Amino acid sequence: MTGGDVALIVALLLLLLDLAIRIGSIIVIPRNRRPSTAIAWLMTIFLIPYVGFLLFLLIGSYKLPKSRRDKQHAINEFIVETTEGIERVSENTPWPPWFKNVVELNRTLGAMPLVGGNNATLVGDYDESIRQMTADIDKAGRYVHAEFYILSYDTTTKPFFEALEAAVKRGVTVRVLLDHIASVRAPGHKKTVKMLDRIGVKWHFMLPVQPLKGRWQRPDLRNHRKILVIDGDVAYMGSQNVVDRSYNKKSNLRRGLMWKDLMTRLEGPIVAGINAIFITDWYSESNELLLRETRAITDEIIDDEPDALDMQVVPSGPGFDGENNLRLFLALLYNAQERIVITSPYFVPDDAMLYAITTATQRGVTVDLFVSEIGDQALVYHAQRSYYEVLLRAGVRIYMYQSPYILHAKHFTIDDEVAVIGSSNMDMRSFSLNMEVSLMVRGRDFVTAMRGVEDGYRKVSRELTLDEWHKQPLRSTVLDNLARLTSGLQ
């Protein structure tokens, strides 16, 4: 056989392989995926077949391993069984007529009940949030549960770590969960891990990507939650990581970037719900089920004060069968009667959310959207911008928070009735790939406080107009549209 014959055979085999990849992709990829996602993957594979196919094998599945999903189902069943019939809520003010169905939706998807008798304080100052969390850790008598996407030891967070160390020394059990990939990529990671080991806390990486240790799933499936629970009495949750507000990255420091976040401090029965999220994630990573630290919500004392709040925890992520956070957001958007205010640092909606928002304006609902004037992630920033024109044309008012701040807060309000705060962005990554936690709150006092936060954003933001948008250079339009195409790869 001559060299020419070998080359011909190799070329023929490559042609057959290319054809097999293309045909197989058409059969496999569209199954159980959004059309936009399927089209994005098919375009990638048809344009760069071998590279696209390898990428799909690496990150094409957005589900966690079956063993982890089984654990989530088991925990959900436990939560439902132990909280059956305890939807004890305030009757001081009537519910909106649509609210009961939204509560039932959340219960069906995430297992958690709506419970009343809670108190909440919003904390919008970055350093003050860390100070308050540190002060509550200093009061811990039994346990501290800390779970953060990024937890980093630096000058800003040193008091937080010192409080954890002091708690361990006085006999408090301290457990820490931190996302593996996000933490490894954070500056000072080795110093942080050494500190956790030195002070004697019990800790685990979340969703570790360690194939040599038999730990593997799609590497961009991340645990993005930010929660802290002290003794089952106090909890924090929201958008803020435990790290300096510059994230200690050279590029951020060079640009002078600083993060602006919003956390909420919680007391009441809802703390048991927040703790259940931690217990679920601890069980997933350690195989240890913390039944001793599980305080049933039925054991909680309900605050009957008129301003006590009704709350429901909504966990979401690839461990669940549905996109719990997206379904909650859509339900609230479609039921809004007067006003919607959305704050999201990474706003890349799918078609369903885009239709819900534009439909709201068309039926007379006022819609405001707060985003950052500048971006810290170029691809997401440009993908987000690609939606501005259709939103502006629909009547959405877009406010751009002043640089050099990155408005990282994640929350929205519906009329004067309901607010949602948590770790979830309004983008397809948060809907499908990240493990998130959201808190739905019914109570006018809380919504009023949230409106105050939104008014504060408005004072330091500039409104983007359609006329201004039309003046953007062609290169920006090209970059925005290209980034939007890649956002569908899930």
Side-chain angles (χ1 to χ4, degrees), residues 358-386:
T358 54
T359 298
T361 60
Q362 290 165 355
R363 55 189 175 85
V365 177
T366 299
V367 180
D368 293 348
L369 171 64
F370 286 95
V371 294
S372 297
E373 183 178 40
I374 55 176
D376 64 305
Q377 300 179 31
L379 197 62
V380 179
Y381 173 69
H382 283 286
Q384 173 174 294
R385 284 166 48 89
S386 72

Coordinates of all heavy atoms in Angstrom, one line a residue, residues 358-386:
T358 N -41.1 42.1 28.9 CA -41.7 43.0 27.8 C -43.2 42.9 27.8 O -43.9 43.9 27.6 CB -41.1 42.6 26.4 OG1 -41.4 41.2 26.2 CG2 -39.6 42.9 26.4
T359 N -43.8 41.7 28.2 CA -45.2 41.6 28.3 C -45.7 42.5 29.4 O -46.8 43.1 29.4 CB -45.7 40.2 28.5 OG1 -45.3 39.4 27.3 CG2 -47.2 40.1 28.6
A360 N -45.0 42.5 30.5 CA -45.4 43.3 31.7 C -45.5 44.8 31.3 O -46.5 45.5 31.6 CB -44.3 43.2 32.8
T361 N -44.5 45.3 30.5 CA -44.6 46.7 30.1 C -45.8 47.0 29.2 O -46.4 48.0 29.3 CB -43.3 47.2 29.4 OG1 -43.1 46.4 28.3 CG2 -42.1 47.1 30.4
Q362 N -46.1 46.0 28.3 CA -47.2 46.1 27.4 C -48.5 46.1 28.0 O -49.5 46.6 27.5 CB -47.0 45.0 26.3 CG -45.9 45.2 25.4 CD -45.5 44.0 24.6 OE1 -46.1 42.9 24.8 NE2 -44.6 44.1 23.7
R363 N -48.6 45.5 29.2 CA -49.9 45.6 29.9 C -49.9 46.7 31.0 O -50.8 46.6 31.9 CB -50.2 44.2 30.5 CG -49.2 43.6 31.4 CD -49.6 42.1 31.8 NE -48.5 41.5 32.6 CZ -48.4 41.6 33.9 NH1 -49.3 42.3 34.6 NH2 -47.5 41.0 34.6
G364 N -49.0 47.6 30.9 CA -49.0 48.8 31.8 C -48.3 48.7 33.0 O -48.3 49.7 33.9
V365 N -47.5 47.7 33.3 CA -46.6 47.6 34.5 C -45.3 48.4 34.3 O -44.7 48.2 33.2 CB -46.3 46.1 34.8 CG1 -45.4 46.0 36.1 CG2 -47.6 45.4 35.1
T366 N -44.9 49.2 35.2 CA -43.7 49.9 35.2 C -42.5 48.9 35.5 O -42.6 48.2 36.5 CB -43.7 51.1 36.2 OG1 -44.7 52.0 35.9 CG2 -42.3 51.8 36.2
V367 N -41.5 48.9 34.7 CA -40.4 48.0 34.9 C -39.1 48.8 34.9 O -38.8 49.5 33.9 CB -40.3 46.9 33.8 CG1 -39.2 46.0 34.1 CG2 -41.6 46.1 33.8
D368 N -38.3 48.7 36.0 CA -37.0 49.3 36.1 C -36.0 48.2 36.2 O -36.2 47.1 36.8 CB -36.9 50.2 37.3 CG -37.8 51.4 37.2 OD1 -38.3 51.7 36.2 OD2 -37.9 52.1 38.3
L369 N -34.8 48.3 35.5 CA -33.8 47.4 35.6 C -32.5 48.1 36.0 O -32.1 49.1 35.3 CB -33.6 46.7 34.2 CG -32.3 45.8 34.0 CD1 -32.4 44.6 34.9 CD2 -32.2 45.4 32.6
F370 N -31.8 47.6 37.0 CA -30.5 48.2 37.5 C -29.4 47.2 37.1 O -29.5 46.0 37.4 CB -30.5 48.4 39.0 CG -31.3 49.5 39.4 CD1 -32.7 49.4 39.9 CD2 -30.8 50.8 39.4 CE1 -33.4 50.4 40.3 CE2 -31.6 51.9 39.8 CZ -32.9 51.7 40.3
V371 N -28.4 47.7 36.4 CA -27.3 47.0 35.9 C -26.0 47.8 36.2 O -26.1 49.0 36.5 CB -27.3 46.5 34.5 CG1 -28.5 45.6 34.2 CG2 -27.5 47.8 33.6
S372 N -24.9 47.3 36.0 CA -23.6 48.0 36.2 C -23.3 48.8 34.9 O -23.5 48.3 33.8 CB -22.5 47.1 36.5 OG -22.7 46.5 37.8
E373 N -22.7 49.9 35.0 CA -22.3 50.7 33.9 C -21.1 50.0 33.2 O -20.9 50.1 32.0 CB -21.8 52.1 34.3 CG -21.4 53.1 33.2 CD -21.1 54.4 33.8 OE1 -20.4 54.5 34.9 OE2 -21.5 55.4 33.2
I374 N -20.3 49.3 33.9 CA -19.1 48.6 33.4 C -19.2 47.2 33.8 O -20.1 46.8 34.6 CB -17.8 49.2 33.9 CG1 -17.8 49.2 35.4 CG2 -17.6 50.6 33.3 CD1 -16.5 49.7 36.0
G375 N -18.4 46.3 33.2 CA -18.5 44.9 33.5 C -17.1 44.3 33.9 O -16.1 44.9 33.6
D376 N -17.2 43.3 34.7 CA -16.0 42.6 35.1 C -15.7 41.4 34.3 O -14.6 40.8 34.3 CB -16.0 42.3 36.6 CG -17.1 41.2 36.9 OD1 -18.3 41.5 36.6 OD2 -16.8 40.2 37.5
Q377 N -16.7 40.9 33.6 CA -16.6 39.7 32.7 C -17.0 40.1 31.3 O -18.2 40.3 31.0 CB -17.4 38.6 33.2 CG -17.0 38.1 34.6 CD -17.9 37.0 35.1 OE1 -18.4 36.1 34.3 NE2 -18.1 36.9 36.4
A378 N -16.1 40.2 30.4 CA -16.3 40.8 29.1 C -17.4 40.1 28.3 O -18.3 40.7 27.7 CB -15.0 40.8 28.2
L379 N -17.4 38.7 28.3 CA -18.3 38.0 27.5 C -19.8 38.2 28.0 O -20.7 38.4 27.3 CB -18.0 36.5 27.6 CG -18.6 35.6 26.5 CD1 -18.2 36.0 25.1 CD2 -18.2 34.1 26.8
V380 N -19.9 38.1 29.4 CA -21.3 38.3 29.9 C -21.7 39.7 29.8 O -22.9 40.0 29.5 CB -21.3 37.9 31.4 CG1 -22.7 38.1 32.0 CG2 -20.9 36.4 31.6
Y381 N -20.8 40.7 29.9 CA -21.1 42.1 29.8 C -21.7 42.4 28.4 O -22.7 43.1 28.3 CB -19.9 42.9 30.1 CG -20.0 44.4 29.8 CD1 -20.8 45.2 30.6 CD2 -19.3 45.0 28.8 CE1 -20.9 46.6 30.4 CE2 -19.4 46.3 28.5 CZ -20.2 47.1 29.3 OH -20.3 48.5 29.1
H382 N -21.0 41.9 27.4 CA -21.5 42.1 26.0 C -22.8 41.4 25.7 O -23.6 41.9 25.0 CB -20.4 41.8 25.0 CG -19.3 42.9 24.9 ND1 -19.5 44.1 24.3 CD2 -18.0 42.9 25.4 CE1 -18.4 44.8 24.4 NE2 -17.5 44.1 25.1
A383 N -22.9 40.1 26.2 CA -24.1 39.4 26.0 C -25.3 40.1 26.6 O -26.4 40.2 26.0 CB -24.0 38.0 26.6
Q384 N -25.1 40.7 27.8 CA -26.1 41.5 28.5 C -26.6 42.7 27.7 O -27.8 43.0 27.5 CB -25.6 41.9 29.8 CG -26.5 42.8 30.6 CD -26.0 43.1 32.0 OE1 -25.9 42.2 32.8 NE2 -25.5 44.3 32.3
R385 N -25.6 43.4 27.1 CA -25.9 44.6 26.3 C -26.7 44.3 25.1 O -27.4 45.1 24.6 CB -24.5 45.2 25.9 CG -23.8 46.0 27.0 CD -22.4 46.3 26.7 NE -22.3 46.9 25.3 CZ -22.4 48.2 25.0 NH1 -22.6 49.1 26.0 NH2 -22.3 48.7 23.8
S386 N -26.6 43.1 24.6 CA -27.3 42.7 23.4 C -28.8 42.8 23.6 O -29.6 42.8 22.6 CB -26.9 41.4 22.9 OG -27.4 40.3 23.7

